């Protein structure tokens, strides 16, 4: 049960402690307060890994564009190889979207304050494991001996000179994907 004295005590404005010049002021009301995030200062040692992580995310975005170009100009893989590429593509997308909040200067303070870096690293590790599984699926689908026999003719058909025709565009995309995601995990 509330009394009249409790109601009046709650409705009074809160006074701030005296200012250095001796005057008293009232605290701002809740509606007028702006929630400003304090700017987070990053240690000097964190700047280089953060730069590498940003480069990895940018390279993953370029890789996604290259996948679209390769899909448009070259014959798409079929069967389990297509499954491997789609798994790798999904892992790249998840890693890129998941890493963006920790890489933007605007949101890095919130990531640190809310302690979501552990979840981010778990997400990146999971995406990297999915990429390793995609390469495993790709190798199992054609076999190691079949993989070596298939790559030469495919690369030659895609326009590579016979002297360097040992890997095709789709294999390059898989290798770059796992390399970039591993680098992002390490960064």
């Amino acid at each position: 049960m509330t009394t009249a004295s409790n109601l009046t005590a709650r409705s009074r404005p809160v006074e701030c402690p005296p200012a250095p010049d001796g005057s008293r002021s009232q605290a701002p009301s809740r509606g007028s307060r702006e929630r400003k995030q304090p700017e987070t200062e990053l240690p000097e040692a964190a700047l280089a890994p953060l730069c590498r992580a940003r480069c990895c995310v940018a390279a993953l975005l370029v890789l996604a564009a290259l996948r679209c170009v390769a899909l448009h100009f070259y014959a798409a893989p079929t069967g389990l190889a297509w499954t491997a590429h789609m798994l790798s593509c999904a892992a790249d997308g998840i890693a890129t979207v998941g890493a963006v909040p920790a890489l933007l200067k605007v949101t890095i303070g919130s990531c640190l304050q809310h302690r979501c870096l552990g979840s981010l690293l778990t997400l990146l590790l999971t995406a990297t494991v999915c990429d390793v599984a995609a390469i495993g699926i790709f190798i199992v689908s054609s076999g190691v001996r079949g993989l070596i026999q298939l790559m030469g003719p495919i690369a030659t058909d895609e326009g590579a000179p016979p002297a360097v025709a040992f890997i095709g565009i789709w294999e390059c995309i898989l290798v770059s994907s796992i390399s970039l995601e591993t680098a992002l995990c390490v960064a």
Side-chain angles (χ1 to χ4, degrees):
M1 183 167 170
T2 60
T3 62
S5 63
N6 285 345
L7 289 175
T8 57
R10 287 186 192 161
S11 63
R12 281 190 226 154
V14 177
E15 291 188 13
C16 291
D21 62 357
S23 64
R24 289 190 161 250
S25 63
Q26 291 185 350
S29 66
R30 285 187 183 207
S32 67
R33 290 183 191 166
E34 292 181 22
R35 291 185 51 118
K36 289 185 179 178
Q37 284 285 63
E39 188 126 344
T40 304
E41 289 293 324
L42 295 174
E44 197 70 31
L47 296 178
L50 191 61
C51 182
R52 284 192 297 270
R54 286 178 179 148
C55 289
C56 287
V57 168
L60 281 170
L61 291 172
V62 169
L63 185 65
L66 285 175
R67 268 196 179 116
C68 292
V69 169
L71 192 59
H72 183 70
F73 288 108
Y74 299 108
T78 58
L80 283 176
W82 178 254
T83 304
H85 281 286
M86 289 301 101
L87 179 60
S88 176
C89 184
D92 290 349
I94 289 170
T96 302
V97 171
V100 166
L103 300 178
L104 297 177
K105 192 169 186 140
V106 176
T107 58
I108 195 163
S110 297
C111 284
L112 293 173
Q113 184 180 12
H114 296 303
R115 297 181 178 104
C116 63
L117 288 179
S119 300
L120 168 69
L121 290 175
T122 302
L123 180 75
L124 291 177
L125 184 62
T126 304
T128 305
V129 168
C130 285
D131 243 352
V132 169
I135 287 182
I137 290 171
F138 185 78
I139 289 173
V140 166
S141 69
S142 59
V144 177
R145 186 176 255 179
L147 188 66
I148 293 170
Q149 291 173 351
L150 285 175
M151 282 190 204
I154 291 174
T156 308
D157 290 344
E158 290 175 352
V164 292
F166 59 90
I167 189 168
I169 184 80
W170 293 105
E171 293 82 14
C172 282
I173 288 174
L174 274 178
V175 170
S176 348
S177 174
I178 193 165
S179 300
L180 289 170
E181 281 189 23
T182 304
L184 185 59
C185 272
V186 170

